[in-house]
Amino acid sequence: MNDATDENARKAGPSSGGTIRILQLYPDELGVTGDAGNVDVLRIRLERSGHTVAIETHRPGASLGTEPDLVVIGNGPLSALRRVLPDALRHRLTIAEWAQRVPFFAVGAGLELLCARIHDSSGDLDGLGVLGAEAHRGRRRRVGYAIAETDEGTITGFEDQATELTGVQTRFATIVRDVTGPASRPDGVRTSTIIGTLLQGPLLPLNPLLADHLAGAAARHAGITYVPDASLAHYDRLAAHATERMRSHVASVFTTIQ
Amino acid sequence: MRRSLAILLGRLARFATRLRGGGSAFPGYLVRKIWPRFIEDVSAQWSHGVIFVLGSNGKSTTTHMVSELLRAHGLKVFTNPTGANLPQGIASAMLSEVTVSGRLPADVAVLEVDEAFSVDLAQLLRPRTVLMLNCQVDQLYRFYETERVADMMLDASVLASENIVTNREDPLLSQVGSRLGSRSTPRVSYFGASDDVLRASKHGLLGAPDFRDETAESRPVALGEVRSFGGRDATIAVGDESITVELPARGLHYAVDAAAASATASLVLGSTFDSASVIEAFATMRPAYGRGEVIPFGDESVEFVMFKNGPSLQLNLDSLLTPPQQVMFALDEGTPDISWIYDVSFDSLDHVDVVTGEKAWQVALRLEYAGVPVGSVEPDLEKAIELMRRMPSPTEDRKLWFVNYEQMMLARKFLGFPDLETRL
């Protein structure tokens, strides 16, 4: 993931027929919750299914390159969000234009970055405004496993966040169960191209149906049809066991964390 | 009179809670109810004062190292068992050694302190020296943001009356000087590893990055510096002296802990610091409980490698020179959030025989995506241990068990080496 290979990948970009290009924004700053795992899982699923994948990264100060087939933005602390924000704002128009066509997967602070405004007791920040929603940090903290319903089906993840979103047109998911028991509260944002969530885990290895949805969207943008290879069932069996355990532990753990 | 009563009642409470099984903070609470300045008054007796050991990772190991180094120089050391690093726990630990007249015969106290309570405890115990090991991305579910943890440690360190010893290679903790402004006390000393040693490491020391401060300060000279390192051998420069020591466990993080402990000991001991005593102390040092500890297992033995977060797991994996022949990996709900497991590189393993603990399936999923084949998944630790027992002894090394804290305690119990650590 050094800059030289990034540069090569970028040059190879649009003219390299058949390559699906996944761009991760700010992996050093927004990547503390295993976000590289989400990217890895997309790469492995696409590669196993016969496609060539290029993982590219964008770091502050670098040029943004050409339009990728999928943008992934991970999670990080507020200090990291502050650190990347000036660079992100410089590329605001390009990112907003991409979001018209390119699928995005944004987690935690990565989702907050796409919002119009980020409210925090230490001061408010302008986000990229790709989404109309606003993020309010420092609300009630939620920690623990969570089960959510989405358009793709039921997903399971780990919540560790204190952000409330307002002005959301379409939510990504409805949390139906968390450490407090049955629930019905919104998570994240969904548009025709963007999936933004406050759920981590990381989410994609645990929820292959969501990973395949995103892999399919990336492939489609590259003009390719993605059909998950049968060998991926090996991972999916492990994921099914893992999430089954998480669901059975959802109410019984982490309730005492201060 | 009132003090003796406090101690007697505290002792009685301690006896009762131990009969009930396990340690408790209650005796510490009780004694402080009757003798509110118990901690302050007892700690004031120690001629060499109090040393705090703070950090995301390595507190127990380094507390143990500092204690052993000071003992090797003839000092009588009071220290707290791991886990007793909150105020009432420390009071309970003191209670176990204090005489009825309120004396605790020791020259110095070396205490590991939980980050979240470090400021409160510094106000109570007035440490002369605060040693800060590292600030890693750790327990985000508890601390929310890494900078908050760094601030807790930094705020406590500036309360030291004489010395701050901090990690030069840690982006956040190395900035402590800026907190002191023009103050000349406490004095700041550093420990670290030489450029060559850092370059040779697979992933470095993995301190959390500092996103707040723009300017990278020049590297100050370290009082204790790892100059060379391989397996369990390390050469550490302490001031002008070069000391080659045998580490209690494998890994660069242990070498850096040893540099931190040696630097701290040299500050506490001054001119009586003697490198021969340091070498002797390291040669006879046992690993801290569960950290690189070797425990008998039938006719063979197992090595416990404990990890608590991504950086500590990575540093332990990086310490392996060749892929181990037999590996068990145990992780349970004692570690709530394991999303970081996808940030860890498992290149040092070519397989894992058994994955266990409540999170076994999540771990197996990660390992398989990392290209590390998993032999079997058995969430029940006791059954997993039986699977490991049935495997023939490895021909070249020991059975290696990667464990989080809770699984380490449980595995020790199943192996017949019960919980010594919470003994207060």
Side-chain angles (χ1 to χ4, degrees):
Chain A
M1 296 216 294
N2 61 45
D3 286 342
T5 45
D6 291 350
E7 199 55 44
N8 291 337
R10 203 170 293 122
K11 279 177 192 152
S15 58
S16 63
T19 298
I20 298 164
R21 294 169 52 233
I22 300 175
L23 173 65
Q24 187 184 4
L25 299 183
Y26 312 119
D28 301 327
E29 294 85 0
L30 301 179
V32 299
T33 48
D35 302 286
N38 284 328
V39 176
D40 248 7
V41 163
L42 290 170
R43 177 183 59 77
I44 290 167
R45 297 184 79 85
L46 285 162
E47 283 179 351
R48 283 270 191 131
S49 307
H51 306 296
T52 309
V53 180
I55 304 294
E56 301 168 19
T57 51
H58 170 74
R59 291 182 163 80
S63 63
L64 202 51
T66 57
E67 181 173 309
D69 299 310
L70 176 72
V71 175
V72 176
I73 321 174
N75 193 10
L78 182 60
S79 59
L81 192 57
R82 284 183 194 281
R83 172 63 66 97
V84 303
L85 205 49
D87 184 82
L89 288 170
R90 263 196 300 282
H91 300 294
R92 186 209 297 248
L93 290 176
T94 310
I95 295 171
E97 200 205 315
W98 287 354
Q100 308 280 315
R101 302 176 293 273
V102 180
F104 276 59
F105 181 58
V107 179
L111 166 59
E112 294 176 16
L113 182 67
L114 296 177
C115 287
R117 202 145 167 81
I118 302 146
H119 302 271
D120 185 79
S121 59
S122 64
D124 292 357
L125 301 165
D126 273 329
L128 288 177
V130 173
L131 297 168
E134 303 200 352
H136 303 262
R137 300 177 58 98
R139 296 288 168 87
R140 180 177 165 199
R141 192 154 200 96
R142 302 182 186 277
V143 180
Y145 293 140
I147 304 169
E149 298 295 346
T150 73
D151 290 354
E152 283 70 40
T154 305
I155 61 168
T156 309
F158 189 91
E159 267 190 302
D160 182 5
Q161 51 91 5
T163 294
E164 190 187 329
L165 299 169
T166 55
V168 174
Q169 285 203 337
T170 309
R171 63 179 70 174
F172 161 61
T174 301
I175 309 275
V176 294
R177 203 166 179 87
D178 63 16
V179 289
T180 63
S184 178
R185 58 186 168 87
D187 171 72
V189 182
R190 176 161 212 149
T191 72
S192 60
T193 53
I194 299 172
I195 287 180
T197 179
L198 300 174
L199 285 167
Q200 54 195 60
L203 217 43
L204 300 189
L206 290 168
N207 300 283
L209 46 90
L210 187 58
D212 283 340
H213 170 80
L214 287 164
R220 210 157 34 250
H221 184 273
I224 295 168
T225 305
Y226 167 68
V227 180
D229 188 75
S231 68
L232 295 172
H234 172 61
Y235 299 119
D236 300 352
R237 188 183 67 87
L238 295 171
H241 280 293
T243 50
E244 184 202 324
R245 282 263 164 173
M246 290 165 75
R247 286 194 295 274
S248 67
H249 287 190
V250 70
S252 60
V253 288
F254 317 136
T255 48
T256 57
I257 289 164
Q258 50 196 331
Chain B
M1 192 57 209
R2 191 177 171 80
R3 294 181 172 194
S4 303
L5 180 73
I7 291 166
L8 286 171
L9 281 176
R11 284 263 180 84
L12 194 64
R14 191 171 157 271
F15 180 70
T17 53
R18 285 180 60 76
L19 273 185
R20 206 191 52 195
S24 165
F26 176 71
Y29 167 81
L30 184 67
V31 73
R32 292 181 70 206
K33 194 86 192 155
I34 306 168
W35 181 358
R37 288 182 52 83
F38 171 74
I39 291 179
E40 295 93 316
D41 292 348
V42 172
S43 63
Q45 302 166 19
W46 301 322
S47 61
H48 287 65
V50 174
I51 301 166
F52 273 13
V53 180
L54 311 177
S56 301
N57 198 14
K59 284 193 288 285
S60 296
T61 291
T62 312
T63 299
H64 183 59
M65 285 178 175
V66 174
S67 301
E68 290 299 301
L69 293 184
L70 297 179
R71 282 181 184 129
H73 287 80
L75 293 190
K76 190 161 168 41
V77 177
F78 170 75
T79 185
N80 54 334
T82 310
N85 57 10
L86 310 179
Q88 311 298 15
I90 287 175
S92 290
M94 290 169 73
L95 197 55
S96 73
E97 293 190 30
V98 76
T99 65
V100 180
S101 60
R103 276 179 35 75
L104 201 164
D107 302 308
V108 63
V110 184
L111 303 174
E112 71 158 278
V113 172
D114 185 271
E115 298 88 297
F117 296 89
S118 55
V119 170
D120 288 352
L121 277 166
Q123 281 158 354
L124 276 178
L125 284 153
R126 296 281 157 204
R128 279 190 207 172
T129 300
V130 173
L131 165 58
M132 291 188 284
L133 293 170
N134 46 51
C135 184
Q136 298 168 342
V137 176
D138 181 37
Q139 298 189 63
L140 289 177
Y141 58 88
R142 179 173 170 216
F143 294 125
Y144 313 162
E145 303 205 347
T146 309
E147 287 87 350
R148 254 187 81 184
V149 187
D151 285 341
M152 291 170 186
M153 293 193 257
L154 291 164
D155 290 345
S157 74
V158 298
L159 299 173
S161 61
E162 291 181 7
N163 291 300
I164 294 171
V165 186
T166 192
N167 187 341
R168 182 183 61 187
E169 326 308 348
D170 189 285
L172 287 158
L173 299 183
S174 59
Q175 307 287 328
V176 65
S178 64
R179 301 251 164 164
L180 292 167
S182 57
R183 281 170 62 189
S184 58
T185 38
R187 194 156 54 105
V188 180
S189 303
Y190 298 88
F191 64 90
S194 71
D195 289 336
D196 286 347
V197 167
L198 289 176
R199 261 196 301 273
S201 67
K202 273 193 186 166
H203 298 95
L205 290 170
L206 299 162
D210 180 2
F211 294 126
R212 294 185 297 197
D213 305 296
E214 282 296 338
T215 50
E217 288 182 15
S218 58
R219 285 180 93 206
V221 173
L223 174 63
E225 184 178 74
V226 182
R227 290 281 169 83
S228 71
F229 154 74
R232 284 184 54 186
D233 299 313
T235 301
I236 294 161
V238 183
D240 301 331
E241 281 190 89
S242 187
I243 308 173
T244 298
V245 298
E246 188 188 332
L247 303 170
R250 248 190 341 252
L252 176 59
H253 48 317
Y254 288 104
V256 173
D257 291 345
S262 303
T264 303
S266 82
L267 288 168
V268 172
L269 294 159
S271 60
T272 61
F273 180 80
D274 167 41
S275 56
S277 302
V278 173
I279 292 167
E280 172 69 20
F282 274 108
T284 54
M285 203 177 287
R286 288 174 47 79
Y289 200 71
R291 286 88 172 165
E293 195 180 28
V294 177
I295 288 184
F297 185 52
D299 297 334
E300 41 177 328
S301 56
V302 294
E303 184 175 335
F304 278 67
V305 180
M306 197 185 95
F307 61 91
K308 61 180 291 203
N309 55 19
S312 71
L313 178 57
Q314 188 71 70
L315 284 159
N316 281 312
L317 287 165
D318 290 354
S319 75
L320 299 170
L321 302 176
T322 53
Q325 280 187 308
Q326 277 181 18
V327 189
M328 183 170 84
F329 198 106
L331 181 57
D332 65 14
E333 303 291 11
T335 309
D337 176 21
I338 59 161
S339 56
W340 48 259
I341 201 166
Y342 283 84
D343 293 322
V344 171
S345 161
F346 288 91
D347 292 355
S348 305
L349 302 179
D350 59 9
H351 79 291
V352 170
D353 296 288
V354 180
V355 180
T356 186
E358 289 153 335
K359 284 187 149 87
W361 291 105
Q362 287 187 64
V363 173
L365 177 65
R366 165 57 185 149
L367 288 171
E368 290 282 350
Y369 266 125
V372 178
V374 171
S376 46
V377 182
E378 172 48 74
D380 185 294
L381 177 64
E382 207 166 3
K383 290 180 186 155
I385 288 175
E386 287 317 306
L387 291 177
M388 290 303 287
R389 196 188 297 279
R390 270 182 243 140
M391 298 176 69
S393 311
T395 51
E396 281 168 21
D397 50 21
R398 295 185 198 96
K399 287 180 157 76
L400 203 60
W401 293 4
F402 286 90
V403 284
N404 71 342
Y405 183 81
E406 289 75 9
Q407 291 281 285
M408 184 266 290
M409 300 293 266
L410 209 53
R412 283 187 64 108
K413 198 179 115 199
F414 292 143
L415 263 50
F417 289 81
D419 182 5
L420 298 169
E421 190 161 59
T422 55
R423 181 169 51 106
L424 294 181

